[in-house]
Amino acid sequence: MGMGKDVRQRIAKRAAKEIKGGMIVNLGIGIPTLVADYVKDIPVMFHAENGILGTGPSPEKGRENPNLCNAGGFPITSVKGSSYFDSATAFAIIRKGLLDMTILGALQVSEQGDLANWIVPGKRVPGVGGAIELAEKAKKVVILMNHCDKSGNSKIVHSCTLPLTAEKCVDLVITDMAVFSLNKSNEIVLEEVYQPYTVEEVLKKTDASVRLSKNIIMIS
């Protein structure tokens, strides 16, 4: 099932709340690229694997710089103090563990925090890209995705059936229905629910064992 513009923006806006001043944050392809549009007046440096540290919000239509894009090839802006370098240096930043957070899309997330986000068997893709390094090395991994796939199946599962990107790496999942945290006991915890959905509806659509937070927040 596709996701409307308003829903994508709502997810990105919620993800932006996880960003604190002074962080270095990588934004993946898709919904994560929208997060920069909702970070206001916070000193943060966004990182892109193609060699930029200090990306900014999306440019206004008609003011795109053809030489300035993110790792997905979409136009971006840069902020004061930004820097440019080769991909080797960009990946060195990741592998050194200097990223405070990475915000990625996903195909599946298991209740143990395993991540599958790079390939559906039988479909052609250019490769895994930086997904493995980002998932393994970032200090916090936040996932933004549809709650269900095009067939209506839950993307939050007991165990991933798609090829894994990394094991036990996910810290937070934000979907179009709810927000889940993953704790050190390998439990997935329902923290927030987007109205008009209910807790019962979220649990029915989630193919994983879920523990309920003591204080579930209902988001309008």
Side-chain angles (χ1 to χ4, degrees):
M1 181 179 293
M3 187 184 297
K5 180 180 178 181
D6 290 345
V7 176
R8 290 164 58 88
Q9 291 175 335
R10 183 173 66 180
I11 292 173
K13 188 174 182 179
R14 173 58 185 84
K17 293 182 179 180
E18 297 299 311
I19 297 173
K20 310 301 179 186
M23 280 186 167
I24 299 176
V25 181
N26 174 276
L27 300 179
I29 297 171
I31 302 175
T33 61
L34 302 175
V35 174
D37 295 343
Y38 297 97
V39 178
K40 308 295 184 183
D41 302 320
I42 298 175
V44 57
M45 297 297 279
F46 288 113
H47 167 278
E49 300 101 296
N50 56 324
I52 308 172
L53 184 62
T55 69
S58 302
E60 296 178 10
K61 189 174 182 179
R63 302 193 65 179
E64 299 89 348
N65 181 339
N67 297 311
L68 192 58
C69 66
N70 59 26
F74 293 97
I76 55 172
T77 58
S78 60
V79 300
K80 184 178 180 179
S82 61
S83 56
Y84 305 88
F85 33 78
D86 58 19
S87 291
T89 302
F91 274 85
I93 291 172
I94 300 171
R95 293 167 180 161
K96 187 69 174 179
L98 299 179
L99 293 180
D100 295 293
M101 185 188 303
T102 185
I103 304 177
L104 303 169
L107 299 170
Q108 289 181 333
V109 174
S110 79
E111 60 192 50
Q112 296 82 29
D114 300 334
L115 172 64
N117 77 340
W118 75 281
I119 191 172
V120 174
K123 291 192 175 183
R124 297 182 65 182
V125 296
V128 69
I132 292 175
E133 286 92 342
L134 289 167
E136 291 280 3
K137 295 296 185 177
K139 296 171 185 174
K140 183 173 183 177
V141 177
V142 177
I143 299 300
L144 312 185
M145 65 180 188
N146 280 5
H147 200 92
C148 298
D149 63 20
K150 294 180 180 179
S151 300
N153 300 311
S154 173
K155 294 172 68 172
I156 302 175
V157 295
H158 287 290
S159 299
C160 293
T161 56
L162 297 173
L164 290 186
T165 304
E167 296 181 345
K168 297 180 180 180
C169 62
V170 177
D171 297 291
L172 190 73
V173 178
I174 304 172
T175 77
D176 52 313
M177 296 183 72
V179 179
F180 302 85
S181 65
L182 288 98
N183 61 29
K184 294 181 180 179
S185 300
N186 292 332
E187 295 177 313
I188 187 164
V189 182
L190 178 59
E191 303 283 359
E192 303 171 19
V193 174
Y194 287 111
Q195 296 177 346
Y197 300 110
T198 65
V199 172
E200 291 74 21
E201 287 175 317
V202 172
L203 295 178
K204 185 177 180 179
K205 290 287 188 179
T206 306
D207 183 25
S209 299
V210 176
R211 186 167 69 81
L212 302 183
S213 170
K214 294 181 179 179
N215 298 296
I216 296 177
I217 299 172
M218 304 301 295
I219 305 175
S220 59

